Amino acid sequence: MSVRRRTTLRAVAAATVAIALAAGCSNANSGAGKGGGGGATGVLTIGKPDGPQTNNSNPFLSTSAGATLGYRYMIYEPLAMTNMIKPTEKADPWLATDWEWESSFTKVTFTLDERAKWADGKDLTADDVEFTFNLLKKHPALNGNGIPFDGIAVEGGKVVLTFKESQFVNQNKIIQTFIVPKHIWEKVDNPETWPNRTPVGSGPYKLKTFTPQTTTLVATPTYWNGKTKVKELRYTAYNDNSAATTALATGKVEWSFVFMPNHKQLFIDKDPKNHKLWFPSGLGIHGLWFNTARKPLDNPALRKAMAMVVDRNAIHIQAQATLYPEITNPTGIPLPAGEPFLAPEYQGANTKPDVPGAKKLLAEAGFTLEGGVLKDPSGKPVTLTFTDPAGWNDYITGLAIIKDNVKQLGIEAKVKTQTAEAWGVDVANGNFDATLHWTNSGATPYDMYQNVMDGAILQPIGKSSQAGNFGRFKNDEATTALKEYANAKDEPTRTKAMHLLQKIFVEQAPMIPTAAAPIGAEYSTKNWIGWPTEANPYAPPQHTQPSALEIVLNLTPAK
């Protein structure tokens, strides 16, 4: 999802390759030690507070169980593995040993690893890669990153992709694409809805059993890139944050990403020696997305006024327990990482609530306040529904704070909870007023803004949007600026476009940024060691990120 500065990406140095291979060279069926504990049995337990899941392992659908729980990353592999903490660094070769971009970023050539095989023993070839990219080109619903594929061909055993426009901002997205087996997927009538319940990938794991509560993966003895000490992965879907926290605290779960209102007391203090957490962030954010296609939220004055009264500091302390980095700039750009991208007019700007200023803005836009009730220019009271999954207490608490904040403007809001699955479908289809949700992240704020404001991925309400713009935000100026940023041939042009995007984001308020998006996790070193840390940030620790496989391959049993 990030910008890459070099036009040529060679295979990493021999030392890096050696590390990657060493990470996956142990026997999954060796027993991995003696005595009790997950490490002793080769089992790693993973949990997430997303409620019961539907049996769907389609790797391209963001609403599938494989995506929600993160196990798709253990079955399907990318061409290269990037590090979201350091997105401008070279990616690690994976299915591809080498890839080279032309200077215009309109052509890339992949050289594949000849050792790669599918879990069923068949060779993974350039034909599979060509088929995969053509699959995404033909089926936009599977093309979650909205990559505008043009030419896709095999030339001399290498895969060559060509594009009509620069893919400067899409380099990581392209090299991180899951590759699927042609001999299986070419027989599927409708891959956009196919649940893929017996998935076959090139990764080191295959699906053993699936229930709405627990999904179990087992190591593939014939994995082409070696074997892993972790011979079994058990993913459990808990109903809420509280249940997932209890599972972590008692050791039932060893790896999770769950919000805790008091992480020290609830988790760390239960086993200070082994219970760890690390929450780095990228250039993505969490925030209140507005459905700008619904009245009265189609009025930018109302959205901006709401943004002006939301107390981000209260959300940081009360809803997020200071665990997530606070947003202090109205552009939404996380600081200090995003400081170099800030437009001069927003240097030093802050998100301190301004109720009088918001009321003035509303009055100038034709809104009236009668008996403590805000009415839109047509005279209709402004009432809103905020939605998020039940059990996501950080989001639910955040919505409660925002509800109280906007009450100061005379807005009557209510909070509605859903199952995580139903919520995900509603968000994708545009069936909501406003919801707390995250954005994409990358090496620059482009990915964040593109995810929220790009008219090129705009879908009508009722049609699922897998690529983003869930709020159905339509602004031709923003769409043009995003395109100019992506296709710019020099930094001044790119900088001008970035500054304009910030101005549109602040003035049109398609969403209210509430926190920098963490890509962190809680984990235990009781049975497994080798986790990424601040001292060794080889990957973000969250198990629903693309580099989760790299983490599992790096784990070894604790002594």
Side-chain angles (χ1 to χ4, degrees), residues 91-325:
D92 289 341
W94 215 262
L95 292 177
T97 57
D98 178 54
W99 54 104
E100 184 173 346
W101 288 91
E102 289 195 349
S103 59
S104 62
F105 294 96
T106 58
K107 181 179 180 180
V108 61
T109 301
F110 292 99
T111 301
L112 303 182
D113 194 319
E114 295 180 352
R115 301 173 302 150
K117 290 183 180 293
W118 298 109
D120 59 10
K122 297 182 182 296
D123 289 340
L124 189 156
T125 69
D127 287 341
D128 293 301
V129 179
E130 178 193 33
F131 171 83
T132 299
F133 285 122
N134 272 313
L135 182 73
L136 300 185
K137 179 181 179 180
K138 182 179 178 181
H139 299 279
L142 303 181
N143 188 6
N145 289 316
I147 305 299
F149 297 105
D150 187 27
I152 303 170
V154 176
E155 298 177 5
K158 299 183 179 183
V159 179
V160 180
L161 306 181
T162 56
F163 307 88
K164 293 180 179 179
E165 297 178 332
S166 169
Q167 297 305 298
F168 178 79
V169 297
N170 289 328
Q171 295 172 76
N172 278 14
K173 296 175 185 177
I174 292 168
I175 66 176
Q176 287 182 154
T177 299
F178 291 118
I179 304 303
V180 297
K182 177 181 178 180
H183 64 279
I184 292 176
W185 284 71
E186 66 182 352
K187 301 173 185 177
V188 178
D189 291 332
N190 188 355
E192 295 182 11
T193 59
W194 187 42
N196 189 28
R197 290 174 179 155
T198 54
V200 175
S202 61
Y205 294 92
K206 61 182 179 181
L207 183 63
K208 179 182 179 182
T209 58
F210 183 97
T211 72
Q213 288 74 37
T214 302
T215 300
T216 302
L217 273 60
V218 292
T220 303
T222 57
Y223 178 46
W224 68 274
N225 201 18
K227 296 178 182 178
T228 169
K229 295 279 187 180
V230 183
K231 68 178 181 180
E232 185 168 297
L233 300 169
R234 293 177 189 165
Y235 293 81
T236 299
Y238 292 91
N239 287 333
D240 51 36
N241 285 0
S242 178
T245 297
T246 299
L248 273 166
T250 58
K252 288 185 178 180
V253 164
E254 299 168 283
W255 191 11
S256 183
F257 167 44
V258 59
F259 172 77
M260 300 179 188
N262 187 338
H263 49 272
K264 186 176 186 302
Q265 178 183 357
L266 294 174
F267 177 60
I268 301 296
D269 289 350
K270 300 298 182 182
D271 186 353
K273 178 182 177 182
N274 295 303
H275 286 182
K276 311 291 181 182
L277 58 80
W278 182 41
F279 278 75
S281 67
L283 286 176
I285 57 176
H286 290 257
L288 187 74
W289 293 59
F290 293 117
N291 188 339
T292 65
R294 278 190 179 179
K295 291 184 177 298
L297 292 170
D298 61 339
N299 191 316
L302 175 62
R303 302 194 302 263
K304 184 175 181 181
M306 291 175 65
M308 291 171 66
V309 302
V310 169
D311 190 340
R312 274 78 158 191
N313 186 253
I315 293 174
H316 175 63
I317 295 172
Q318 299 173 36
Q320 296 155 359
T322 71
L323 197 59
Y324 305 164

